[in-house]
Amino acid sequence: GVVVASSNNSTNSIGIIGVFPDASPTYINRAFGNNCGLTYVGKIMQAIKDCRDSGAKIISMSLGTFKDVAALRGFVKDEIENKDMLFIAAAGNRNTNYFYPASYDGVVSVAAIDNRNIRASFSSYNDKVDIAAPGDDIVSTDNNLKYGLRQGTSLATPHVSGVALVLWNNFPRCNNTEIREALLQSAQPLTDDQFPTSPNNGYGHGAVKYWAAYDYLIDNPCEQASPRASAPLPVSGSTKAPKATKAPKATKAPKATTTSDINLSTKAPKATKAPKATASSTDDAANVSSQSELVEYNESPHASG
């Protein structure tokens, strides 16, 4: 819901609108059971492979484990370095504890802020936090065709994933690390009494900002990259209008994104798809005991709805 939900009526008096409405078709990949409780690292790794093989480039994970699992660490590293995948994951909801895969190198670790741009009390803080996004009292789609009010870094994560989705569509020649760098360097610095300087362990580089990231890539082009004529206006809390001098955006299928939050992965195929990469040796090296480590669905215990 946070990423691709769209209004079903002209006034949007019913429902919600995501960061990139109607980025469809969708691809469902269930890594958890019906209760969104626990699943295994092996299932998460297989879900990531399935999404990547189907054309996904952004893996959004509102889940994690407090145990650093070697098989998962190696798998994520290989996907980032050799398959141009962008991983965005929940920082967790338990004080200073590292939460994986968010705390792995190269993964965008997302903290939660409220509507005052203040770090949510449940949001984890440590030196792996990269960026912050709304994650307190968020209305989103829920089970049984309903809406629910929830909170947690699980809800902050898809906000960042949605921004990354729009951004990468407008700068399709950028690679995963260039999109990641744009998100971090363009974030709005945030501080408080506990974290008086920026970047910091509570907010990372600060609040995610789409238009700032867009402008960053205009000023700092990716290698051999050229932006699209116009960027679509993200509707998740943004009030800035497109620049008047830009030409209408050319039609193109949205870049893929996946969201593991609440058992949902969403994906839109790229207009042109590169040949599938050969499975890495890291995939094969993951032994059964490592893949059997449990991963938890990362919703704040204070969530309601």
Side-chain angles (χ1 to χ4, degrees):
V2 172
V3 178
V4 299
S6 62
S7 172
N8 61 357
N9 63 86
S10 59
T11 62
N12 193 39
S13 60
I14 300 174
I16 60 173
I17 296 180
V19 180
F20 196 160
D22 287 327
S24 58
T26 59
Y27 177 77
I28 307 298
N29 194 322
R30 300 188 66 176
F32 287 87
N34 292 330
N35 296 325
C36 296
L38 299 173
T39 191
Y40 292 99
V41 167
K43 288 187 176 181
I44 297 298
M45 292 164 62
Q46 186 60 53
I48 292 169
K49 292 179 195 176
D50 292 344
C51 290
R52 181 243 297 153
D53 288 345
S54 298
K57 298 296 291 181
I58 299 172
I59 305 295
S60 182
M61 295 176 289
S62 294
L63 50 79
T65 174
F66 292 106
K67 184 172 183 178
D68 179 5
V69 181
L72 181 61
R73 182 185 347 111
F75 173 77
V76 169
K77 182 177 187 290
D78 181 67
E79 294 287 317
I80 293 171
E81 294 181 355
N82 299 318
K83 298 182 175 65
D84 197 30
M85 299 296 287
L86 178 60
F87 284 78
I88 301 171
N93 304 319
R94 298 185 188 176
N95 298 320
T96 60
N97 300 48
Y98 284 159
F99 201 50
Y100 303 98
S103 294
Y104 290 140
D105 291 343
V107 178
V108 180
S109 178
V110 184
I113 53 177
D114 63 19
N115 59 6
R116 301 168 296 168
N117 280 346
I118 297 175
R119 186 182 69 86
S121 60
F122 53 78
S123 184
S124 293
Y125 52 97
N126 54 58
D127 60 0
K128 296 298 185 180
V129 171
D130 291 307
I131 202 165
D136 192 26
D137 291 340
I138 303 298
V139 178
S140 185
T141 51
D142 207 338
N143 296 329
N144 302 317
L145 301 178
K146 296 180 179 180
Y147 299 101
L149 184 67
R150 297 178 179 275
Q151 60 187 29
T153 51
S154 287
L155 281 301
T157 299
H159 280 93
V160 177
S161 300
V163 170
L165 170 63
V166 181
L167 189 65
W168 210 345
N169 268 269
N170 281 283
F171 296 87
R173 297 183 186 179
C174 293
N175 61 34
N176 58 346
T177 57
E178 290 166 328
I179 293 297
R180 180 182 187 273
E181 186 70 5
L183 292 172
L184 303 190
Q185 294 304 320
S186 63
Q188 176 187 342
L190 296 176
T191 60
D192 58 27
D193 291 342
Q194 185 177 1
F195 305 104
T197 61
S198 182
N200 56 60
N201 289 0
Y203 304 91
H205 287 76
V208 65
K209 294 293 179 182
Y210 170 74
W211 283 108
Y214 181 90
D215 291 341
Y216 177 88
L217 287 177
I218 292 291
D219 296 335
N220 302 274
C222 300
E223 185 177 354
Q224 297 183 340
S226 58
R228 297 261 201 99
S230 166
L233 178 66
V235 296
S236 181
S238 175
T239 58
K240 182 175 179 181
K243 298 177 181 179
T245 57
K246 291 172 184 170
K249 176 184 171 184
T251 301
K252 185 181 180 215
K255 186 177 288 289
T257 183
T258 64
T259 303
S260 298
D261 185 27
I262 316 179
N263 298 336
L264 177 64
S265 292
T266 63
K267 166 199 164 289
K270 294 172 65 177
T272 58
K273 183 179 177 183
K276 294 180 181 178
T278 303
S280 69
S281 59
T282 304
D283 301 346
D284 300 329
N287 59 43
V288 174
S289 61
S290 293
Q291 293 194 37
S292 297
E293 294 294 341
L294 287 173
V295 176
E296 71 174 304
Y297 166 66
N298 180 53
E299 182 179 292
S300 168
H302 305 293
S304 61

